[in-house]
Amino acid sequence: MIVLGSTYLPMMQGIRARLGPGIELRDFEPHRALADQLRDVEVLLLGHHRVGQEELRAAPRLRLIQQHGRGLDSVDLLAAQHAEVRVANVPGGNSVAVAEHGLALMLALARNLRGCNKSIGNRRTGEPMGLELRGKTVVLVGLGAVGTEFAQMAAALRLRVLAIRSNVAKGSPVPLDFLGGPEHLTSILGEADFVVLLATLTPATLAMFDHNCFGLMKKSAFLINLGRAALVDRAALQSALERRAIAGAASDVFWNEPAEPGDPLLALDNFILTPHVAGFTDNSVAHIATEVTSNIARLRNGEPLANLAVCEIIR
């Protein structure tokens, strides 16, 4: 069985260490088109590859697209169903890791770590002044596994936690100061000291954070994106940061990954980017690699697969 690896080295290392005999794990070649690498592949480890009809037509032996995280927005699920290719993910496998990374970004913004580096370079001490988190308000846009973990961490730090989720009827598994639907977002943005994006990317959430949303935020507020870059209108974000319409932003996702080092957003002193590493920790990689390799073994043995996407049940 031939498995084509993802672009994420820590995950590749964890999966390779757990694969059984008779399975060849190939490294993805970033300078070759994905379609050209799929000719004899049976399992694709998704990563941030985009898979549509062109890639599926080029992969006659492909049987499984396995994401090692949650997001499947880069896969044409209907085309995969028509090609009889199954699609699976590992929901919640890195929720603690992503939430902790979001907290790290929140602290980096609150304590202005980029400004600290500048002060060191200028041989100045005692500046910049930071913000205390206690008593501040965070708005979570999305309340899945990551949002739930983040809400608990924020509450432990005595932040006021407001949350938006698409299906309010599901309620919240943890105590919140407010829970509302998407229609409530604009009415609570003005209360936020931090806005954390955790929503799933769908046609309804594409570029949901636009000029209007930034205009409703306080000038002292920060945006943190742990979901997908496309949740945010890039031009609106850059304008808000350049005009200091908001205090700053941090993101673990970018519109084109890997980001170009010369991208103008990266030059802004009130923007922090991390290289899509939120979900990769010692514990999360070990757990997810075990789940992924177990699914590959199930496929090889003709057993039912775990965490299949909705395309499996479309009729």
Side-chain angles (χ1 to χ4, degrees):
M1 175 179 284
I2 298 175
V3 178
L4 180 63
S6 83
T7 56
Y8 296 107
L9 181 59
M11 192 58 62
M12 284 288 287
Q13 291 172 333
I15 292 171
R16 179 169 277 117
R18 290 166 173 80
L19 282 177
I23 300 177
E24 176 188 348
L25 178 59
R26 291 180 181 170
D27 292 317
F28 175 72
E29 299 177 44
H31 302 297
R32 286 181 62 200
L34 174 60
D36 292 340
Q37 302 181 56
L38 289 173
R39 306 297 178 187
D40 56 351
V41 168
E42 295 177 67
V43 178
L44 170 64
L45 301 181
L46 185 61
H48 64 248
H49 303 308
R50 294 199 168 274
V51 180
Q53 293 184 359
E54 177 185 354
E55 288 76 18
L56 290 165
R57 283 196 297 266
R61 298 186 60 187
L62 188 63
R63 301 164 60 194
L64 172 65
I65 298 171
Q66 174 70 59
Q67 176 62 290
H68 47 66
R70 180 194 63 169
L72 294 172
D73 49 275
S74 60
V75 180
D76 185 332
L77 293 178
L78 188 58
Q81 181 203 13
H82 289 158
E84 299 184 349
V85 174
R86 286 171 284 184
V87 182
N89 64 357
V90 186
N94 57 10
S95 56
V96 173
V98 176
E100 287 183 352
H101 191 81
L103 182 61
L105 292 178
M106 178 183 284
L107 286 163
L109 290 169
R111 302 313 298 261
N112 194 0
L113 293 191
R114 290 201 66 168
C116 288
N117 287 336
K118 183 177 179 181
S119 292
I120 291 171
N122 291 333
R123 299 179 61 82
R124 301 183 67 88
T125 59
E127 60 180 52
M129 182 176 69
L131 300 175
E132 285 189 10
L133 295 184
R134 182 181 297 188
K136 300 297 192 296
T137 296
V138 57
V139 170
L140 306 180
V141 184
L143 194 67
V146 176
T148 299
E149 293 287 349
F150 196 99
Q152 292 177 295
M153 295 176 189
L157 292 171
R158 302 187 193 178
L159 280 92
R160 180 168 170 256
V161 183
L162 318 182
I164 298 293
R165 72 180 311 171
S166 58
N167 187 352
V168 182
K170 288 183 177 179
S172 171
V174 296
L176 299 170
D177 294 284
F178 172 82
L179 175 63
E183 69 276 12
H184 296 104
L185 177 61
T186 55
S187 65
I188 65 172
L189 275 179
E191 301 181 48
D193 296 296
F194 299 90
V195 178
V196 182
L197 300 184
L198 300 160
T200 301
L201 183 62
T202 67
T205 61
L206 179 66
M208 63 177 292
F209 232 82
D210 55 13
H211 288 284
N212 179 55
C213 287
F214 287 115
L216 294 171
M217 292 174 64
K218 296 186 292 189
K219 288 188 176 181
S220 59
F222 298 93
L223 178 72
I224 298 170
N225 191 356
L226 299 173
R228 289 289 185 265
L231 294 170
V232 179
D233 181 315
R234 182 195 159 113
L237 173 62
Q238 187 163 338
S239 174
L241 292 173
E242 290 174 344
R243 295 182 295 107
R244 305 283 173 172
I246 62 171
S251 182
D252 187 52
V253 289
F254 211 67
W255 291 267
N256 294 302
E257 292 183 334
E260 289 293 335
D263 191 289
L265 263 178
L266 304 188
L268 300 179
D269 64 4
N270 56 351
F271 180 70
I272 297 172
L273 178 68
T274 54
H276 211 137
V277 295
F280 299 131
T281 63
D282 51 354
N283 290 344
S284 68
V285 168
H287 170 71
I288 294 172
T290 298
E291 292 296 310
V292 168
T293 52
S294 293
N295 238 14
I296 293 172
R298 292 186 190 103
L299 178 71
R300 190 181 188 193
N301 297 332
E303 300 169 355
L305 303 185
N307 300 312
L308 288 173
V310 69
C311 64
E312 283 291 297
I313 58 175
I314 293 175
R315 293 291 184 265

